[in-house]
Amino acid sequence: MEEDGKGQAADRGEGAPTLEDVARRAGVSTATVSRALNTPERVAPPTREKVDAAVRALGYVPNFGARAMAARRTNTIGAIIPTMENAIFARGIQAFQEALQAEGYTLLVASSLYDPAVEEAEVRALVARGAEGLLLIGHDRDPAITRFLAARGIPAVVTWTWQADGPVPSVGFDNRATMQEMAGQVIAMGHRRLAAISAPTAANDRARARVEGIRAAMAAAGLDPAALDVVETPYGIDTGAAAFARLMSRQHPPTAVICGNDVLAAGALRAAHEMGIDVPGRVSVTGFDDIDLAEVVRPALTTVHVPHRKMGRAAAAALVAMIRGGPTPASTRLVAEIRLRASLAPPPADAPPG
Amino acid sequence: MEEDGKGQAADRGEGAPTLEDVARRAGVSTATVSRALNTPERVAPPTREKVDAAVRALGYVPNFGARAMAARRTNTIGAIIPTMENAIFARGIQAFQEALQAEGYTLLVASSLYDPAVEEAEVRALVARGAEGLLLIGHDRDPAITRFLAARGIPAVVTWTWQADGPVPSVGFDNRATMQEMAGQVIAMGHRRLAAISAPTAANDRARARVEGIRAAMAAAGLDPAALDVVETPYGIDTGAAAFARLMSRQHPPTAVICGNDVLAAGALRAAHEMGIDVPGRVSVTGFDDIDLAEVVRPALTTVHVPHRKMGRAAAAALVAMIRGGPTPASTRLVAEIRLRASLAPPPADAPPG
DNA sequence: GGGGCGAGTGTAAGCGCTTGCACGGCCATC
DNA sequence: GATGGCCGTGCAAGCGCTTACACTCGCCCC
């Protein structure tokens, strides 16, 4: 397109038509065209029709950047998620977007790949594009980012986690308490030697909270929290399988493996199958998130049902309220329920105590 | 944060800092600040440092819209996928984005929810935001959209399908031929009574091509293509399960169910389990896409491995070449390979012929 | 019959940025 | 010791749009 620029430009009639082109063709001023497009009720019907005809004839599409600059509004909201490849985010974000759209906002999504530096860059990029509000995942991040947003007066909501107070209001569930409940169930089944497969906890407060939840349940049951055998590994079925294999090769393998998410758990189940280890006969496995996978896998996965869609909708409502000038709302706590399925059962009778 | 708006405005110094604020603080002109930011090598090092300091102190972030308007470039590419909730798109798009980023482009993603009208609106929205190129899925769409893009001189690439010639170059695989190969394998196993579970074929050339591929394989094997029992159903595990139940309740149930994608196939497997139908003993099931699910499910799913990431990278390369002024490239054909796993086996010995 | 008013439209001032052009100073060259 | 060239910088003209403000009608009311 740039080889010489002249022939091409002719092909497409000197670039995209502008408001002025429309105005000229309709025989009115640019102000009138602008009004016909944005506040049609303030333009006389015959004028409106002339403008509409010109718009159609020219294939006119308003330039978003110019509009944003002149109107000083973008009706755009940004969201930064760790990755689109994780189904749990895809679902929540979809609901978030639908709710925003109903309110007249457009969503821009970026992914941070779990890298804090990338996340910071994405925050700036979204702000540069005029985001009037931001959805973020989790609380772990450089306070400078929060300060930056506050200085700009850009509201933000954190989700996929819940914290009564924090620099940013949250809409989500209590990862620690929920996982404690899950681990409590496992212990109640009679398990004493627990292990966990967790996502890397470094810059991930959700993963950290979940591991803490397990330890809390152990402490509450009189077990030594320090005895929890934790393997951290990146997200993925293969990595989950490898982690499970590692845990089961310990001198005293666990009777229950609590996984930080369903994908890791699915990997554990696959590894168990490959290793000829019976689940839940010999070892129980639990997940977290309740993605579709959980019900399809054999044995079906005991997991925590996270209300992704509800979370997305609630986050959208909170953010829109803030943008429209409401006071900073309190954090909203949703409940995530345990779904008991076949992968959790009492430990084998011959299992030695923890 | 907006309860009254006045005190706040003071807090944030009347809105976001602009280039001019930076220039004033650094004691240089706005032109110099702009150059320091965009072409640092053309600015004397001491000046550059003053500018950088001012930028940091002010927390300056350039206004993307203003920049785009002045520079007449956005370095932005748009993609419209049916939905983010489908893992296959998530993965391909991720690779697409990574490749674009390496070339200095930013990706904007929109989803059409399989609705042509929404897709058209998204095309306009992305063009409005300055997309310099577009990635689209499949060839099915109103020709007016293609004409619109051609008139604007905006290059587009279609993916997830392959067609030697078309209004838009494509980067993908041949859905029809690939599915024909898959169905050929099924028939070679001895199956005669085939059924299919397909995504709605209305505005989806990929789904349509896959069903045609099955029929072509039947015809090639001397079977009556019209005898193929097809159930169309929206994407989802539950819907796949329901479709499978429906197929198996026919007077003469099939011995093989060929599914248009892995998610529908996973639903079929779940339904089979629930109904006490042995797979592959009584009926075989195949999928398409080879998402993670396929290897985790029991029995493991025979499916078609689609090179999502490779496709994303190739599409990015083609699009960038077109944007940079290259000629419209020929369509690129990738190969999708069949992965034979446990869900496909010969039909039961007592199965009556088709 | 004149004044007031509201509806419909036009004029023009920016919004924040990039970039062609001009300019001043410095060094190398003849 | 001029002359030319280059480097670093500033000036100012837009990019395409929205929106206060001003203006013109035509109508209603007194």
Side-chain angles (χ1 to χ4, degrees):
Chain A
M1 222 117 300
E2 313 282 333
E3 307 121 304
D4 81 31
K6 283 137 207 139
Q8 297 294 339
D11 285 7
R12 54 181 200 257
E14 302 298 338
T18 69
L19 239 213
E20 202 177 334
D21 297 329
V22 176
R24 200 175 308 122
R25 183 172 184 123
V28 298
S29 74
T30 60
T32 297
V33 177
S34 177
R35 281 188 284 255
L37 261 27
N38 300 313
T39 51
E41 72 282 2
R42 304 192 49 182
V43 169
T47 311
R48 202 189 306 159
E49 276 159 29
K50 277 189 300 184
V51 171
D52 285 352
V55 165
R56 274 195 304 275
L58 261 32
Y60 171 74
V61 172
N63 178 317
F64 179 84
R67 169 179 288 193
M69 189 154 45
R72 321 185 66 69
R73 278 169 44 285
T74 59
N75 289 325
T76 296
I77 282 178
I80 301 172
I81 59 178
T83 165
M84 292 202 193
E85 292 199 49
N86 190 328
I88 64 167
F89 296 123
R91 184 156 304 180
I93 285 292
Q94 181 76 40
F96 183 68
Q97 172 170 27
E98 285 165 13
L100 288 183
Q101 187 147 347
E103 298 288 347
Y105 287 91
T106 299
L107 177 65
L108 253 33
V109 185
S111 45
S112 69
L113 305 176
Y114 290 99
D115 180 334
V118 174
E119 191 193 33
E120 176 161 1
E122 297 289 10
V123 167
R124 289 178 190 283
L126 288 172
V127 169
R129 282 182 187 264
E132 294 170 3
L134 246 40
L135 180 76
L136 302 169
I137 309 291
H139 279 292
D140 267 10
R141 73 178 44 81
D142 189 333
I145 299 182
T146 310
R147 279 200 307 271
F148 168 75
L149 292 174
R152 280 271 187 306
I154 298 175
V157 165
V158 157
T159 185
W160 252 273
T161 188
W162 177 83
Q163 213 175 72
D165 50 356
V168 176
S170 48
V171 173
F173 58 95
D174 185 329
N175 283 280
R176 186 176 188 280
T178 306
M179 186 56 116
Q180 178 171 354
E181 196 184 334
M182 172 88 258
Q185 293 266 2
V186 172
I187 294 169
M189 281 267 177
H191 292 275
R192 291 295 172 268
R193 281 211 316 280
L194 308 185
I197 304 179
S198 169
T201 54
N204 185 334
D205 53 347
R206 288 92 61 212
R208 224 160 40 231
R210 293 179 191 180
V211 172
E212 282 168 15
I214 304 174
R215 292 218 167 91
M218 292 174 79
L223 303 178
D224 176 14
L228 180 69
D229 192 354
V230 181
V231 174
E232 287 192 14
T233 185
Y235 174 86
I237 288 188
D238 292 337
T239 55
F244 181 82
R246 212 163 118 204
L247 284 174
M248 297 311 288
S249 67
R250 304 278 203 234
Q251 199 165 7
H252 296 296
T255 63
V257 175
I258 297 176
C259 303
N261 62 59
D262 284 353
V263 170
L264 292 175
L269 289 180
R270 198 190 76 197
H273 182 83
E274 289 161 1
M275 298 166 79
I277 295 176
D278 181 40
V279 176
R282 175 105 168 277
V283 57
S284 287
V285 172
T286 67
F288 206 112
D289 291 339
D290 198 21
I291 58 177
D292 287 346
L293 203 59
E295 279 192 279
V296 172
V297 116
R298 295 297 150 215
L301 198 57
T302 288
T303 188
V304 173
H305 179 76
V306 174
H308 299 298
R309 308 197 82 101
K310 196 170 178 179
M311 217 159 59
R313 281 194 302 271
L319 200 47
V320 168
M322 290 171 80
I323 291 175
R324 299 235 165 110
T328 300
S331 290
T332 304
R333 184 177 192 171
L334 302 176
V335 296
E337 286 176 356
I338 291 174
R339 294 272 200 272
L340 292 172
R341 301 205 186 94
S343 72
L344 173 61
D350 61 349
Chain B
M1 355 206 109
E2 310 282 330
E3 302 117 305
D4 95 20
K6 281 134 207 140
Q8 297 296 337
D11 284 8
R12 53 181 201 256
E14 302 298 337
T18 70
L19 238 212
E20 200 178 335
D21 296 330
V22 175
R24 199 175 309 122
R25 183 169 184 125
V28 299
S29 73
T30 59
T32 297
V33 176
S34 176
R35 282 188 281 254
L37 261 28
N38 300 313
T39 50
E41 73 282 3
R42 305 192 46 181
V43 168
T47 311
R48 201 188 307 160
E49 276 159 29
K50 276 190 300 182
V51 171
D52 286 351
V55 165
R56 274 194 304 275
L58 259 32
Y60 171 75
V61 172
N63 178 319
F64 179 84
R67 168 178 288 191
M69 188 152 47
R72 320 185 66 69
R73 277 170 42 284
T74 59
N75 288 326
T76 296
I77 283 177
I80 302 172
I81 59 177
T83 167
M84 293 201 190
E85 293 197 48
N86 190 327
I88 64 166
F89 297 123
R91 183 156 306 180
I93 285 292
Q94 181 75 41
F96 183 68
Q97 172 170 27
E98 286 165 11
L100 288 182
Q101 186 147 349
E103 298 288 346
Y105 287 91
T106 299
L107 177 66
L108 252 33
V109 185
S111 45
S112 69
L113 306 176
Y114 291 100
D115 181 335
V118 174
E119 192 194 33
E120 176 162 2
E122 297 291 9
V123 166
R124 288 176 192 285
L126 288 172
V127 168
R129 283 184 188 261
E132 295 170 1
L134 245 41
L135 181 75
L136 302 169
I137 309 290
H139 278 292
D140 268 10
R141 72 178 45 79
D142 189 333
I145 299 183
T146 310
R147 280 199 307 271
F148 169 75
L149 292 174
R152 278 272 187 305
I154 298 176
V157 164
V158 157
T159 184
W160 251 274
T161 188
W162 177 84
Q163 211 174 73
D165 49 356
V168 176
S170 47
V171 173
F173 57 95
D174 185 331
N175 283 279
R176 186 176 188 279
T178 307
M179 186 56 115
Q180 178 170 354
E181 195 185 335
M182 173 88 259
Q185 293 267 2
V186 172
I187 294 169
M189 281 270 177
H191 292 276
R192 292 295 172 268
R193 282 211 316 281
L194 308 186
I197 304 178
S198 169
T201 54
N204 186 332
D205 54 347
R206 287 91 63 212
R208 228 162 34 235
R210 292 179 192 179
V211 173
E212 283 169 14
I214 304 175
R215 293 219 166 90
M218 292 175 79
L223 303 179
D224 176 14
L228 180 68
D229 192 355
V230 181
V231 174
E232 287 193 15
T233 186
Y235 174 88
I237 288 187
D238 291 338
T239 57
F244 181 82
R246 214 164 117 203
L247 284 174
M248 297 312 287
S249 66
R250 304 278 203 235
Q251 200 166 4
H252 296 292
T255 63
V257 175
I258 297 177
C259 302
N261 62 60
D262 285 352
V263 170
L264 292 175
L269 290 180
R270 198 190 76 195
H273 182 83
E274 288 162 2
M275 297 167 79
I277 295 175
D278 181 39
V279 176
R282 175 104 169 277
V283 57
S284 286
V285 172
T286 66
F288 206 111
D289 291 340
D290 198 21
I291 59 178
D292 287 346
L293 202 58
E295 280 191 280
V296 171
V297 117
R298 293 298 149 216
L301 198 58
T302 287
T303 189
V304 173
H305 179 76
V306 174
H308 299 297
R309 308 197 82 100
K310 195 170 179 182
M311 216 158 61
R313 281 194 302 271
L319 201 47
V320 168
M322 289 172 79
I323 292 175
R324 300 234 165 112
T328 301
S331 290
T332 303
R333 184 178 193 169
L334 304 176
V335 295
E337 286 175 355
I338 291 176
R339 294 273 201 272
L340 292 172
R341 301 204 186 94
S343 72
L344 173 61
D350 62 348

